[in-house]
């Protein structure tokens, strides 16, 4: 009888250890890409062609609920105007996300002219729109607003695009590839100009 109790105790202890190990294991990392290099400041010379019409701002779809609010919390913290959702930018972002799905949710910038772009990737978990933005805004820890620079070796470009003072519109896309996913957000007007501060 005592050996049976000892066996049950040993099995119970193993189950508890397995559950505890699973409960305390860290979730897989969320990866944010290296943003493109800073762009040269736009020319102040008069435009020779008519500028494209700005994207139309529309309602945020349920799939991305909380995306604009998360951006605007970060923007209000530094005193810049709120963003609005753009269906046109969302269509562009989703149009880029689809080919990335074909590459197993690769992290690659579109290089599209005239728009800002942030990417995020996760495996083994499903991110919320607010969680995606929180990852980008977390880069603020390495950003020095006094001189407008990022700490050596750190990445701040996602954060600075989120809070770029002249940006007014955002639209996002997302695809899943099995247990991983990639998020794409596009911005207009784009930010991250060399020699300029975000706010």
């Amino acid at each position: 009888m005592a050996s049976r109790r000892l066996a049950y105790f040993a099995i119970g202890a193993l189950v508890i250890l397995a559950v505890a190990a699973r409960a305390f294991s860290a979730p897989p990392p969320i990866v944010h890409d290296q943003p493109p290099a800073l762009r040269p400041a736009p020319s102040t010379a008069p435009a020779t062609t008519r500028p494209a019409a700005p994207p139309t701002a529309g309602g945020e779809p349920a799939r991305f609920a909380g995306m604009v609010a998360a951006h605007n919390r970060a923007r209000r913290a530094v005193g810049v105007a709120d963003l609005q959702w753009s269906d046109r930018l969302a269509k562009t972002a989703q149009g880029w996300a689809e080919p990335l799905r074909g590459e197993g949710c690769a992290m690659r910038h579109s290089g599209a002219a005239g728009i800002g772009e942030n990417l995020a990737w996760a495996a083994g978990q499903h991110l919320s729109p607010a969680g995606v933005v929180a990852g980008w805004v977390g880069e603020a820890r390495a950003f020095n607003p006094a001189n407008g620079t990022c700490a050596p070796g750190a990445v701040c470009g996602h954060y600075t695009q989120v809070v770029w003072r002249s940006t007014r519109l955002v639209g996002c896309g997302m695809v899943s590839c099995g247990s991983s996913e990639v998020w794409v957000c596009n911005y207009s007007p784009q930010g991250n100009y060399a020699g300029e501060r975000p706010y």
Side-chain angles (χ1 to χ4, degrees):
M1 189 67 160
S3 63
R4 187 179 293 168
R5 270 190 243 146
L6 185 59
Y8 286 134
F9 175 78
I11 291 169
L14 287 174
V15 169
I16 289 168
L17 286 173
V19 170
R22 185 173 179 159
F24 291 108
S25 65
I30 300 166
V31 177
H32 299 285
D33 69 302
Q34 175 70 37
L38 290 176
R39 301 168 187 74
S43 169
T44 55
T48 56
T49 58
R50 194 173 177 189
T56 8
E60 182 181 67
R63 178 181 182 192
F64 295 99
M67 182 65 78
V68 173
H71 276 81
N72 289 338
R73 278 191 296 278
R75 293 174 67 82
R76 289 174 189 163
V78 296
V80 296
D82 283 356
L83 297 182
Q84 291 183 324
W85 182 264
S86 165
D87 289 331
R88 182 173 158 199
L89 287 175
K91 184 176 180 182
T92 302
Q94 190 64 37
W96 179 241
E98 294 301 333
L100 297 180
R101 182 200 321 259
E103 299 173 25
C105 282
M107 291 281 287
R108 190 162 51 83
H109 278 285
S110 67
I115 58 171
E117 185 173 85
N118 277 349
L119 302 178
W121 177 90
Q125 58 185 310
H126 294 292
L127 300 176
S128 67
V132 169
V133 179
W136 295 330
V137 171
E139 295 175 0
R141 291 185 296 273
F143 181 72
N144 182 344
N147 62 18
T149 63
C150 193
V155 174
C156 296
H158 304 97
Y159 168 68
T160 54
Q161 177 58 83
V162 167
V163 298
W164 199 265
R165 66 188 172 282
S166 60
T167 300
R168 293 292 177 266
L169 300 168
V170 62
C172 305
M174 188 274 280
V175 293
S176 295
C177 309
S179 64
S180 63
E181 57 190 35
V182 65
W183 294 69
V184 180
C185 282
N186 288 159
Y187 301 86
S188 180
Q190 66 188 9
N192 287 343
Y193 287 105
E196 293 188 21
R197 296 189 185 191
Y199 53 86

